[in-house]
């Protein structure tokens, strides 16, 4: 089983090759550069260097979101095109789970991604019997509402992700009386961890219809839906 | 080294620059084996215009389905193909990136040459499906984002000799449509209405007498909008059909006059009309009549309506000639939203 994993959901870029559960190679760049310019050259270079050809791949694992809209589109489009045209398996993994997997914390692991205007993409994970379990599902939520929700949990909480420093003060304020860790994991992007999670999941049944998990509608659409509450879902794309 | 190493000369083409996801298979640069077009117009109609993020999301939903359908309908496999062509600009960056990502991954998976195509050059090559080009050739490119006169002395050579200094012709159509309360996109409806009214408003003909091949539609657009607003303020009724006729008469007269002048000055053999507004009946009739009366030796190539809008077949036709010039890309190919002819 030869796995290619791709993470373009944040500013950083991650690519990894894993064979039969053994890490073969990984490429991580933490510099903010265009994923469109770097992703395919990165895959091409890494595979060539390790003697892999496209036809050898058996599974592509992609960080499906939430995260940067353009970023996850580049990753998902690349991954599903490869999977479809090579006739191999496609697995989408939450980009938040791909951050959480880097922590060994025993309580609640909470990845945070800045979604602007004091909103976050987040979720809550926990290791149970060696398996990373999603306890509170991934969502787009205001930071204050999320912190309230977490404050009600009985478990200690650890916040992770490159965006944590942005929210650190607010977090400490809310969790003054609780046992909390709010810290940034330095290796927060780890495409090998993503490949590991992807190796455990059942492949997508419908590769061609696979789409990113944005977890948020486009603002224009939100407003339109508000003004058109009675309209049922229609076909918005037509073959001509 | 030629890209034509296979038994047949087949190109898979991908287009996603605005609100249509399209994938086509083209043989020999002039035969369409498949041309799948997934239009997002019903979606953007909700907002009165294209919302870029919504467009990008639809492209991701559609891209693989379109690729699969294009290959199935053409009855070819990746092994039969000689190259993958993709639009890399101009257009909406997020939209372009979906097509580019898919084309790059496909090209990598099957070790196929990647051919980057300028969307506007693609529009011109829609005419190649009607008739073989004879040079020198003039192309009038009119769409929602562009209004240009392009001179071609040979395949792959593009010289912009005139262009709009402000709004594109298609943009003016959409703005006038909005004032008239027509649903987006309103070009077709205005064209239909223009055939039922009379030119009574006498809107200005911008830059008609100037000694260049440039256009301007912003003044005309403002003139139409002011006419409507003034009428509203005075409590007068506007006559929508006459307004559409008067507006279209101004657009067509300017486009036709300047295009015919360019054809004469550059001694071209063919005139190609291209882009979304090339579907306009008033414009087609104006150019046909003008050429017949003034320059019968110049032949007019009008692509069928389906090939005037955005589609991947035109990208495949253009790629056939671009690949012969060895204009290939590598995996570093990126979107160029403001790409122009060089």
């Amino acid at each position: 089983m030869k796995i290619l994993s791709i993470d373009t959901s944040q500013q950083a870029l991650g690519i990894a090759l894993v064979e039969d559960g053994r890490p073969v190679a990984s490429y991580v760049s933490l510099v903010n550069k265009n994923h469109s310019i770097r992703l395919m050259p990165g895959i091409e270079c890494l595979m060539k260097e390790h003697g892999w050809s496209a036809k050898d791949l058996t599974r592509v694992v992609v960080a499906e979101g939430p995260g940067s809209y353009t970023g996850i589109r580049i990753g998902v489009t690349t991954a599903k095109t490869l999977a479809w045209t090579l006739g191999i398996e496609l697995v989408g993994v939450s980009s938040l789970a791909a951050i959480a997997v880097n922590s060994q914390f025993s309580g609640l692991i909470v990845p945070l991604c800045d979604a602007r205007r004091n909103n976050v993409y987040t979720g809550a994970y926990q290791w149970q019997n060696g398996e990373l379990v999603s306890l509170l599902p991934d969502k787009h939520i205001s930071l204050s509402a999320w912190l309230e929700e977490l404050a009600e949990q009985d478990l200690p909480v650890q916040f992770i992700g490159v965006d944590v420093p942005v929210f650190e003060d607010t977090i400490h304020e809310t969790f003054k009386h609780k046992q909390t860790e709010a810290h940034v994991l330095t290796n927060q992007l780890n495409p090998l961890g993503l490949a590991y999670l992807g190796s455990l999941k059942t492949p997508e049944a419908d590769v061609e219809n696979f789409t990113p998990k944005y977890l948020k509608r486009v603002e224009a659409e939100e407003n339109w839906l508000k003004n058109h509450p009675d309209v049922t879902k229609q076909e918005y794309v037509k073959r001509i | 080294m030629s890209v034509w190493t296979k038994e047949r000369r087949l190109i898979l083409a991908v287009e996603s620059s605005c609100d249509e996801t399209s994938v086509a298979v083209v043989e020999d640069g002039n035969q369409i084996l498949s041309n799948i077009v997934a239009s997002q117009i019903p979606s953007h109609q909700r907002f009165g215009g294209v919302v870029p993020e919504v467009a990008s999301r639809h492209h991701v939903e559609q891209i693989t389905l379109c690729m699969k359908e294009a290959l199935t309908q053409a009855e070819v496999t990746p092994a039969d193909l000689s190259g993958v062509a993709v639009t890399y600009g101009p257009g909406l960056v997020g939209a372009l990136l979906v097509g580019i990502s898919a084309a790059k991954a496909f090209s990598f998976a099957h070790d196929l040459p990647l051919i980057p195509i300028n969307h506007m050059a693609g529009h011109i090559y829609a005419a190649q499906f009607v008739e073989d080009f004879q040079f020198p050739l003039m192309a009038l490119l009119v769409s929602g984002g562009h209004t240009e006169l392009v001179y071609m002395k040979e395949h792959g050579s593009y010289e912009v000799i005139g262009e709009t200094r402000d709004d594109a012709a298609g943009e003016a159509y959409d703005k006038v449509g909005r004032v008239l309360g027509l649903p987006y996109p309103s070009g077709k409806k205005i064209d239909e209405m223009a055939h039922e009214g009379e030119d009574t408003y006498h809107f200005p003909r911008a830059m008609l007498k100037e000694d260049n091949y440039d256009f301007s539609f912003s003044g005309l657009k403002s003139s139409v909008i002011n006419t409507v607003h003034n009428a509203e303020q005075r409590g007068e009724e506007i006559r929508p059909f006459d307004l559409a006729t008067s507006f279209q008469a101004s657009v067509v007269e300017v486009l036709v006059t300047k295009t015919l002048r360019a054809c004469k000055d550059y001694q071209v053999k063919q005139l190609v009309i291209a882009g979304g507004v090339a579907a306009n009946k008033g414009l087609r009739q104006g150019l046909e009549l003008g050429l017949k009366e003034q320059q019968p030796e110049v032949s007019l190539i009008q692509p069928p309506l389906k090939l005037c809008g955005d589609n991947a077949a035109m990208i495949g036709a253009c790629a056939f000639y671009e690949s012969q010039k060895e204009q290939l890309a590598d995996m570093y190919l990126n979107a160029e939203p403001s790409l122009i002819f060089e």
Side-chain angles (χ1 to χ4, degrees), chain A residues 34 36 40-41 44 55 69 73 77 80-81 85 208-209 214 216 218 221 224 236-240, chain B residues 37-39 43 46 53 56-57 60 62 64-65 68-69 97-98 102 104 106 109-110 331 334:
Chain A
N34 194 320
S36 162
M40 281 311 302
E44 192 176 37
K55 306 271 187 284
Y69 295 162
R73 270 195 289 273
T77 304
K80 75 169 175 171
T81 305
T85 198
E208 292 108 74
N209 280 303
Y214 303 100
K216 188 175 184 316
V218 182
E221 202 167 27
W224 186 85
Y236 289 124
V237 180
K238 277 187 184 149
R239 291 286 188 279
I240 54 171
Chain B
V37 182
S39 169
S43 181
R46 293 177 292 170
E53 175 61 23
S56 302
R57 291 187 179 194
V60 185
Q62 292 294 324
T64 315
L65 296 167
K68 188 179 178 181
E69 275 177 56
L97 284 173
V98 174
K104 284 204 278 193
F106 191 91
H110 304 290
M331 289 296 135
N334 196 14

Tab-separated table of all heavy atoms in Angstrom, chain A residues 34 36 40-41 44 55 69 73 77 80-81 85 208-209 214 216 218 221 224 236-240, chain B residues 37-39 43 46 53 56-57 60 62 64-65 68-69 97-98 102 104 106 109-110 331 334:
chain	number	residue	atom	x	y	z
A	34	ASN	N	2.333	30.421	-2.507
A	34	ASN	CA	1.205	29.898	-3.260
A	34	ASN	C	1.251	28.368	-3.392
A	34	ASN	O	2.187	27.810	-3.940
A	34	ASN	CB	1.275	30.560	-4.639
A	34	ASN	CG	0.007	30.386	-5.400
A	34	ASN	OD1	-0.581	29.313	-5.356
A	34	ASN	ND2	-0.413	31.425	-6.073
A	36	SER	N	-0.479	26.582	-5.309
A	36	SER	CA	-0.598	26.187	-6.704
A	36	SER	C	0.779	26.017	-7.343
A	36	SER	O	0.994	25.133	-8.169
A	36	SER	CB	-1.410	27.241	-7.454
A	36	SER	OG	-1.203	27.122	-8.826
A	40	MET	N	2.263	20.549	-6.822
A	40	MET	CA	2.619	19.517	-7.805
A	40	MET	C	4.129	19.372	-7.985
A	40	MET	O	4.624	18.247	-8.060
A	40	MET	CB	1.912	19.769	-9.143
A	40	MET	CG	0.458	19.328	-9.203
A	40	MET	SD	0.097	17.652	-8.614
A	40	MET	CE	1.136	16.676	-9.675
A	41	PRO	N	4.896	20.491	-8.023
A	41	PRO	CA	6.350	20.315	-8.088
A	41	PRO	C	6.880	19.532	-6.877
A	41	PRO	O	7.779	18.711	-7.007
A	41	PRO	CB	6.884	21.756	-8.089
A	41	PRO	CG	5.782	22.559	-8.680
A	41	PRO	CD	4.515	21.908	-8.188
A	44	GLU	N	5.961	15.851	-7.347
A	44	GLU	CA	6.786	15.310	-8.434
A	44	GLU	C	8.207	15.010	-7.935
A	44	GLU	O	8.759	13.934	-8.166
A	44	GLU	CB	6.826	16.346	-9.567
A	44	GLU	CG	7.395	15.831	-10.875
A	44	GLU	CD	7.312	16.878	-11.980
A	44	GLU	OE1	7.508	18.082	-11.683
A	44	GLU	OE2	7.048	16.502	-13.124
A	55	LYS	N	1.744	5.640	-11.149
A	55	LYS	CA	1.028	4.366	-11.306
A	55	LYS	C	1.201	3.426	-10.110
A	55	LYS	O	0.447	2.476	-9.948
A	55	LYS	CB	1.492	3.660	-12.587
A	55	LYS	CG	1.402	4.505	-13.852
A	55	LYS	CD	0.052	4.368	-14.539
A	55	LYS	CE	0.002	5.072	-15.883
A	55	LYS	NZ	-0.124	6.557	-15.784
A	69	TYR	N	-9.916	28.560	1.908
A	69	TYR	CA	-10.782	28.062	0.827
A	69	TYR	C	-9.975	27.696	-0.415
A	69	TYR	O	-10.133	26.617	-0.987
A	69	TYR	CB	-11.834	29.101	0.437
A	69	TYR	CG	-12.850	29.439	1.507
A	69	TYR	CD1	-13.616	30.601	1.432
A	69	TYR	CD2	-13.055	28.586	2.593
A	69	TYR	CE1	-14.556	30.917	2.400
A	69	TYR	CE2	-13.993	28.900	3.569
A	69	TYR	CZ	-14.743	30.067	3.471
A	69	TYR	OH	-15.662	30.375	4.421
A	73	ARG	N	-9.174	23.844	-1.885
A	73	ARG	CA	-9.607	23.517	-3.257
A	73	ARG	C	-8.451	22.973	-4.085
A	73	ARG	O	-8.628	22.043	-4.864
A	73	ARG	CB	-10.193	24.752	-3.941
A	73	ARG	CG	-11.683	24.894	-3.731
A	73	ARG	CD	-12.279	25.894	-4.688
A	73	ARG	NE	-11.901	27.252	-4.380
A	73	ARG	CZ	-12.554	28.037	-3.513
A	73	ARG	NH1	-13.600	27.585	-2.893
A	73	ARG	NH2	-12.149	29.259	-3.284
A	77	THR	N	-8.804	19.198	-5.267
A	77	THR	CA	-8.880	19.001	-6.718
A	77	THR	C	-7.731	18.114	-7.199
A	77	THR	O	-7.933	17.190	-7.994
A	77	THR	CB	-8.834	20.357	-7.461
A	77	THR	OG1	-9.892	21.178	-6.977
A	77	THR	CG2	-8.997	20.168	-8.960
A	80	LYS	N	-8.377	14.450	-5.819
A	80	LYS	CA	-9.446	13.654	-6.430
A	80	LYS	C	-9.185	13.404	-7.908
A	80	LYS	O	-9.597	12.374	-8.432
A	80	LYS	CB	-10.834	14.234	-6.152
A	80	LYS	CG	-11.250	15.456	-6.893
A	80	LYS	CD	-12.765	15.667	-6.659
A	80	LYS	CE	-13.236	16.959	-7.268
A	80	LYS	NZ	-14.694	17.087	-7.238
A	81	THR	N	-8.473	14.317	-8.564
A	81	THR	CA	-8.117	14.066	-9.968
A	81	THR	C	-7.165	12.866	-10.039
A	81	THR	O	-7.350	11.968	-10.867
A	81	THR	CB	-7.447	15.305	-10.594
A	81	THR	OG1	-8.303	16.429	-10.431
A	81	THR	CG2	-7.187	15.090	-12.077
A	85	THR	N	-8.372	9.408	-11.852
A	85	THR	CA	-7.764	9.032	-13.133
A	85	THR	C	-6.805	7.848	-12.993
A	85	THR	O	-6.572	7.122	-13.952
A	85	THR	CB	-7.100	10.247	-13.813
A	85	THR	OG1	-6.913	9.939	-15.195
A	85	THR	CG2	-5.758	10.586	-13.185
A	208	GLU	N	-15.583	11.144	-7.610
A	208	GLU	CA	-15.858	12.280	-8.519
A	208	GLU	C	-16.643	13.394	-7.849
A	208	GLU	O	-16.508	14.564	-8.195
A	208	GLU	CB	-16.648	11.810	-9.751
A	208	GLU	CG	-15.849	10.929	-10.662
A	208	GLU	CD	-16.291	9.491	-10.596
A	208	GLU	OE1	-17.363	9.188	-11.144
A	208	GLU	OE2	-15.594	8.658	-9.989
A	209	ASN	N	-17.506	13.034	-6.891
A	209	ASN	CA	-18.330	14.046	-6.233
A	209	ASN	C	-17.741	14.537	-4.912
A	209	ASN	O	-18.405	15.241	-4.159
A	209	ASN	CB	-19.744	13.504	-6.002
A	209	ASN	CG	-20.587	13.590	-7.258
A	209	ASN	OD1	-20.772	14.668	-7.827
A	209	ASN	ND2	-21.069	12.456	-7.742
A	214	TYR	N	-15.882	23.000	3.778
A	214	TYR	CA	-15.624	24.402	4.112
A	214	TYR	C	-16.139	24.738	5.514
A	214	TYR	O	-15.637	25.610	6.196
A	214	TYR	CB	-16.328	25.318	3.116
A	214	TYR	CG	-15.947	25.094	1.666
A	214	TYR	CD1	-16.762	24.360	0.815
A	214	TYR	CD2	-14.787	25.659	1.145
A	214	TYR	CE1	-16.425	24.162	-0.517
A	214	TYR	CE2	-14.446	25.474	-0.184
A	214	TYR	CZ	-15.277	24.725	-1.018
A	214	TYR	OH	-14.939	24.547	-2.324
A	216	LYS	N	-18.555	26.425	6.157
A	216	LYS	CA	-19.191	27.744	6.161
A	216	LYS	C	-19.663	28.069	4.755
A	216	LYS	O	-18.940	27.817	3.789
A	216	LYS	CB	-18.199	28.814	6.630
A	216	LYS	CG	-18.864	30.170	6.837
A	216	LYS	CD	-17.906	31.197	7.407
A	216	LYS	CE	-18.600	32.518	7.697
A	216	LYS	NZ	-19.521	32.983	6.651
A	218	VAL	N	-20.820	30.620	1.648
A	218	VAL	CA	-20.360	31.906	1.144
A	218	VAL	C	-21.335	32.971	1.654
A	218	VAL	O	-22.544	32.736	1.709
A	218	VAL	CB	-20.351	31.902	-0.403
A	218	VAL	CG1	-19.837	33.220	-0.947
A	218	VAL	CG2	-19.511	30.747	-0.919
A	221	GLU	N	-24.366	33.798	-0.285
A	221	GLU	CA	-25.367	32.735	-0.249
A	221	GLU	C	-26.132	32.746	1.080
A	221	GLU	O	-27.350	32.545	1.099
A	221	GLU	CB	-24.677	31.387	-0.464
A	221	GLU	CG	-25.622	30.312	-0.956
A	221	GLU	CD	-24.891	29.077	-1.453
A	221	GLU	OE1	-23.756	28.817	-0.987
A	221	GLU	OE2	-25.457	28.388	-2.312
A	224	TRP	N	-28.618	35.453	0.801
A	224	TRP	CA	-29.688	35.086	-0.135
A	224	TRP	C	-30.654	34.122	0.537
A	224	TRP	O	-31.869	34.252	0.430
A	224	TRP	CB	-29.083	34.462	-1.397
A	224	TRP	CG	-30.103	34.198	-2.453
A	224	TRP	CD1	-30.578	35.070	-3.391
A	224	TRP	CD2	-30.821	32.970	-2.653
A	224	TRP	NE1	-31.529	34.468	-4.164
A	224	TRP	CE2	-31.702	33.170	-3.740
A	224	TRP	CE3	-30.804	31.716	-2.026
A	224	TRP	CZ2	-32.552	32.175	-4.216
A	224	TRP	CZ3	-31.649	30.729	-2.493
A	224	TRP	CH2	-32.505	30.960	-3.574
A	236	TYR	N	-28.154	24.158	-9.241
A	236	TYR	CA	-27.564	25.446	-9.581
A	236	TYR	C	-26.542	25.355	-10.709
A	236	TYR	O	-26.001	26.347	-11.148
A	236	TYR	CB	-26.940	26.078	-8.343
A	236	TYR	CG	-27.991	26.546	-7.363
A	236	TYR	CD1	-28.009	26.116	-6.053
A	236	TYR	CD2	-28.989	27.432	-7.787
A	236	TYR	CE1	-28.981	26.553	-5.165
A	236	TYR	CE2	-29.961	27.871	-6.907
A	236	TYR	CZ	-29.956	27.425	-5.593
A	236	TYR	OH	-30.916	27.863	-4.735
A	237	VAL	N	-26.241	24.128	-11.114
A	237	VAL	CA	-25.311	23.958	-12.225
A	237	VAL	C	-25.985	23.087	-13.266
A	237	VAL	O	-26.571	22.061	-12.931
A	237	VAL	CB	-23.998	23.308	-11.756
A	237	VAL	CG1	-23.045	23.135	-12.917
A	237	VAL	CG2	-23.349	24.151	-10.663
A	238	LYS	N	-25.937	23.552	-14.532
A	238	LYS	CA	-26.625	22.805	-15.590
A	238	LYS	C	-25.691	22.498	-16.741
A	238	LYS	O	-24.878	23.331	-17.138
A	238	LYS	CB	-27.783	23.648	-16.135
A	238	LYS	CG	-29.035	23.552	-15.296
A	238	LYS	CD	-30.192	24.274	-15.962
A	238	LYS	CE	-31.407	24.257	-15.050
A	238	LYS	NZ	-32.241	25.444	-15.239
A	239	ARG	N	-25.827	21.303	-17.299
A	239	ARG	CA	-25.079	20.964	-18.514
A	239	ARG	C	-25.730	21.692	-19.694
A	239	ARG	O	-26.950	21.668	-19.835
A	239	ARG	CB	-25.161	19.465	-18.785
A	239	ARG	CG	-24.410	18.625	-17.789
A	239	ARG	CD	-22.909	18.724	-18.026
A	239	ARG	NE	-22.184	17.775	-17.195
A	239	ARG	CZ	-21.885	17.964	-15.926
A	239	ARG	NH1	-22.245	19.086	-15.321
A	239	ARG	NH2	-21.205	17.066	-15.244
A	240	ILE	N	-24.898	22.369	-20.500
A	240	ILE	CA	-25.459	23.026	-21.685
A	240	ILE	C	-24.762	22.521	-22.950
A	240	ILE	O	-23.724	21.903	-22.882
A	240	ILE	CB	-25.358	24.567	-21.607
A	240	ILE	CG1	-23.925	25.035	-21.347
A	240	ILE	CG2	-26.279	25.101	-20.522
A	240	ILE	CD1	-23.735	26.538	-21.474
B	37	VAL	N	-19.992	21.122	-20.938
B	37	VAL	CA	-20.027	22.455	-20.329
B	37	VAL	C	-21.031	22.441	-19.173
B	37	VAL	O	-22.215	22.209	-19.375
B	37	VAL	CB	-20.440	23.548	-21.349
B	37	VAL	CG1	-20.423	24.922	-20.682
B	37	VAL	CG2	-19.511	23.545	-22.554
B	38	ALA	N	-20.537	22.672	-17.960
B	38	ALA	CA	-21.412	22.780	-16.785
B	38	ALA	C	-21.544	24.258	-16.451
B	38	ALA	O	-20.591	24.882	-15.991
B	38	ALA	CB	-20.818	22.017	-15.607
B	39	SER	N	-22.715	24.816	-16.737
B	39	SER	CA	-22.920	26.246	-16.538
B	39	SER	C	-23.469	26.543	-15.149
B	39	SER	O	-24.393	25.890	-14.679
B	39	SER	CB	-23.890	26.777	-17.587
B	39	SER	OG	-24.277	28.088	-17.227
B	43	SER	N	-27.047	29.471	-10.654
B	43	SER	CA	-26.579	29.799	-9.309
B	43	SER	C	-26.322	31.297	-9.158
B	43	SER	O	-26.801	31.939	-8.221
B	43	SER	CB	-25.299	29.023	-9.007
B	43	SER	OG	-24.847	29.309	-7.708
B	46	ARG	N	-28.992	34.152	-8.710
B	46	ARG	CA	-29.491	34.515	-7.375
B	46	ARG	C	-28.866	35.818	-6.878
B	46	ARG	O	-29.458	36.547	-6.100
B	46	ARG	CB	-29.146	33.406	-6.363
B	46	ARG	CG	-29.863	32.109	-6.609
B	46	ARG	CD	-29.416	31.063	-5.610
B	46	ARG	NE	-28.028	30.660	-5.824
B	46	ARG	CZ	-27.334	29.912	-4.980
B	46	ARG	NH1	-27.879	29.506	-3.838
B	46	ARG	NH2	-26.090	29.573	-5.248
B	53	GLU	N	-16.311	33.344	-5.082
B	53	GLU	CA	-16.163	32.187	-4.186
B	53	GLU	C	-17.194	31.096	-4.511
B	53	GLU	O	-16.895	29.902	-4.467
B	53	GLU	CB	-16.267	32.630	-2.719
B	53	GLU	CG	-16.240	31.517	-1.677
B	53	GLU	CD	-14.968	30.670	-1.663
B	53	GLU	OE1	-13.919	31.148	-2.122
B	53	GLU	OE2	-15.035	29.513	-1.207
B	56	SER	N	-15.917	29.300	-7.626
B	56	SER	CA	-14.829	28.362	-7.333
B	56	SER	C	-15.368	27.065	-6.734
B	56	SER	O	-14.913	25.977	-7.065
B	56	SER	CB	-13.843	28.983	-6.349
B	56	SER	OG	-13.314	30.181	-6.865
B	57	ARG	N	-16.357	27.198	-5.847
B	57	ARG	CA	-16.915	26.003	-5.204
B	57	ARG	C	-17.613	25.107	-6.221
B	57	ARG	O	-17.483	23.885	-6.183
B	57	ARG	CB	-17.876	26.400	-4.072
B	57	ARG	CG	-17.128	27.031	-2.920
B	57	ARG	CD	-18.015	27.283	-1.702
B	57	ARG	NE	-17.219	27.865	-0.631
B	57	ARG	CZ	-17.613	27.952	0.632
B	57	ARG	NH1	-18.806	27.514	0.989
B	57	ARG	NH2	-16.829	28.485	1.537
B	60	VAL	N	-15.080	23.018	-8.247
B	60	VAL	CA	-14.571	21.802	-7.584
B	60	VAL	C	-15.607	20.680	-7.651
B	60	VAL	O	-15.272	19.519	-7.851
B	60	VAL	CB	-14.204	22.051	-6.099
B	60	VAL	CG1	-13.567	20.809	-5.497
B	60	VAL	CG2	-13.252	23.207	-5.965
B	62	GLN	N	-17.744	20.138	-9.938
B	62	GLN	CA	-17.977	19.678	-11.307
B	62	GLN	C	-16.769	19.097	-12.021
B	62	GLN	O	-16.917	18.296	-12.951
B	62	GLN	CB	-18.498	20.855	-12.148
B	62	GLN	CG	-19.880	21.324	-11.751
B	62	GLN	CD	-20.940	20.271	-12.042
B	62	GLN	OE1	-20.860	19.558	-13.025
B	62	GLN	NE2	-21.925	20.171	-11.162
B	64	THR	N	-14.195	16.953	-11.856
B	64	THR	CA	-13.890	15.545	-12.137
B	64	THR	C	-15.016	14.893	-12.939
B	64	THR	O	-14.773	14.096	-13.851
B	64	THR	CB	-13.647	14.766	-10.820
B	64	THR	OG1	-12.804	15.551	-9.983
B	64	THR	CG2	-12.969	13.445	-11.083
B	65	LEU	N	-16.264	15.273	-12.615
B	65	LEU	CA	-17.408	14.747	-13.372
B	65	LEU	C	-17.272	15.119	-14.847
B	65	LEU	O	-17.507	14.299	-15.737
B	65	LEU	CB	-18.724	15.335	-12.810
B	65	LEU	CG	-19.069	14.950	-11.361
B	65	LEU	CD1	-20.201	15.835	-10.845
B	65	LEU	CD2	-19.464	13.485	-11.289
B	68	LYS	N	-14.458	13.135	-16.602
B	68	LYS	CA	-14.873	11.753	-16.847
B	68	LYS	C	-15.837	11.688	-18.032
B	68	LYS	O	-15.690	10.861	-18.931
B	68	LYS	CB	-15.539	11.212	-15.581
B	68	LYS	CG	-15.834	9.730	-15.630
B	68	LYS	CD	-16.473	9.278	-14.323
B	68	LYS	CE	-16.805	7.789	-14.387
B	68	LYS	NZ	-17.441	7.338	-13.152
B	69	GLU	N	-16.832	12.585	-18.020
B	69	GLU	CA	-17.813	12.601	-19.109
B	69	GLU	C	-17.156	12.889	-20.458
B	69	GLU	O	-17.527	12.320	-21.476
B	69	GLU	CB	-18.871	13.680	-18.831
B	69	GLU	CG	-19.999	13.208	-17.930
B	69	GLU	CD	-20.986	14.352	-17.642
B	69	GLU	OE1	-21.529	14.946	-18.584
B	69	GLU	OE2	-21.157	14.643	-16.450
B	97	LEU	N	-7.691	28.317	-10.749
B	97	LEU	CA	-6.853	27.372	-10.003
B	97	LEU	C	-7.441	25.963	-9.952
B	97	LEU	O	-6.699	24.984	-9.877
B	97	LEU	CB	-6.598	27.892	-8.580
B	97	LEU	CG	-5.565	29.018	-8.487
B	97	LEU	CD1	-5.514	29.587	-7.076
B	97	LEU	CD2	-4.176	28.529	-8.911
B	98	VAL	N	-8.764	25.848	-9.998
B	98	VAL	CA	-9.378	24.517	-9.970
B	98	VAL	C	-9.041	23.765	-11.266
B	98	VAL	O	-8.578	22.619	-11.237
B	98	VAL	CB	-10.905	24.606	-9.775
B	98	VAL	CG1	-11.544	23.223	-9.893
B	98	VAL	CG2	-11.238	25.233	-8.433
B	102	ALA	N	-6.475	20.472	-11.574
B	102	ALA	CA	-6.946	19.223	-12.168
B	102	ALA	C	-6.099	18.851	-13.376
B	102	ALA	O	-5.709	17.689	-13.538
B	102	ALA	CB	-8.420	19.352	-12.555
B	104	LYS	N	-3.021	19.751	-14.080
B	104	LYS	CA	-1.664	19.378	-13.685
B	104	LYS	C	-1.639	17.949	-13.131
B	104	LYS	O	-0.756	17.156	-13.458
B	104	LYS	CB	-1.121	20.349	-12.625
B	104	LYS	CG	-0.707	21.690	-13.217
B	104	LYS	CD	0.341	22.397	-12.352
B	104	LYS	CE	-0.248	23.142	-11.203
B	104	LYS	NZ	0.725	24.063	-10.568
B	106	PHE	N	-3.714	15.522	-13.723
B	106	PHE	CA	-3.980	14.573	-14.815
B	106	PHE	C	-2.729	14.383	-15.666
B	106	PHE	O	-2.364	13.268	-16.035
B	106	PHE	CB	-5.144	15.089	-15.672
B	106	PHE	CG	-5.664	14.091	-16.660
B	106	PHE	CD1	-6.705	13.228	-16.331
B	106	PHE	CD2	-5.111	14.008	-17.932
B	106	PHE	CE1	-7.180	12.301	-17.249
B	106	PHE	CE2	-5.576	13.082	-18.861
B	106	PHE	CZ	-6.613	12.230	-18.521
B	109	ALA	N	-0.241	12.338	-13.702
B	109	ALA	CA	-0.646	10.936	-13.568
B	109	ALA	C	-0.326	10.132	-14.826
B	109	ALA	O	-0.013	8.949	-14.756
B	109	ALA	CB	-2.137	10.850	-13.241
B	110	HIS	N	-0.436	10.772	-15.996
B	110	HIS	CA	-0.260	10.036	-17.257
B	110	HIS	C	0.954	10.493	-18.042
B	110	HIS	O	1.092	10.148	-19.213
B	110	HIS	CB	-1.535	10.146	-18.094
B	110	HIS	CG	-2.751	9.673	-17.364
B	110	HIS	ND1	-2.954	8.342	-17.072
B	110	HIS	CD2	-3.799	10.348	-16.821
B	110	HIS	CE1	-4.098	8.222	-16.388
B	110	HIS	NE2	-4.619	9.427	-16.217
B	331	MET	N	5.069	21.692	-13.937
B	331	MET	CA	4.192	21.608	-12.764
B	331	MET	C	4.143	22.923	-11.963
B	331	MET	O	3.391	23.038	-11.019
B	331	MET	CB	4.643	20.443	-11.868
B	331	MET	CG	4.340	19.080	-12.480
B	331	MET	SD	2.558	18.822	-12.645
B	331	MET	CE	2.450	18.147	-14.286
B	334	ASN	N	0.970	28.463	-12.919
B	334	ASN	CA	0.081	29.120	-11.961
B	334	ASN	C	-0.969	29.912	-12.737
B	334	ASN	O	-0.817	30.158	-13.932
B	334	ASN	CB	0.888	30.061	-11.059
B	334	ASN	CG	0.134	30.476	-9.822
B	334	ASN	OD1	-0.897	29.883	-9.478
B	334	ASN	ND2	0.630	31.491	-9.155
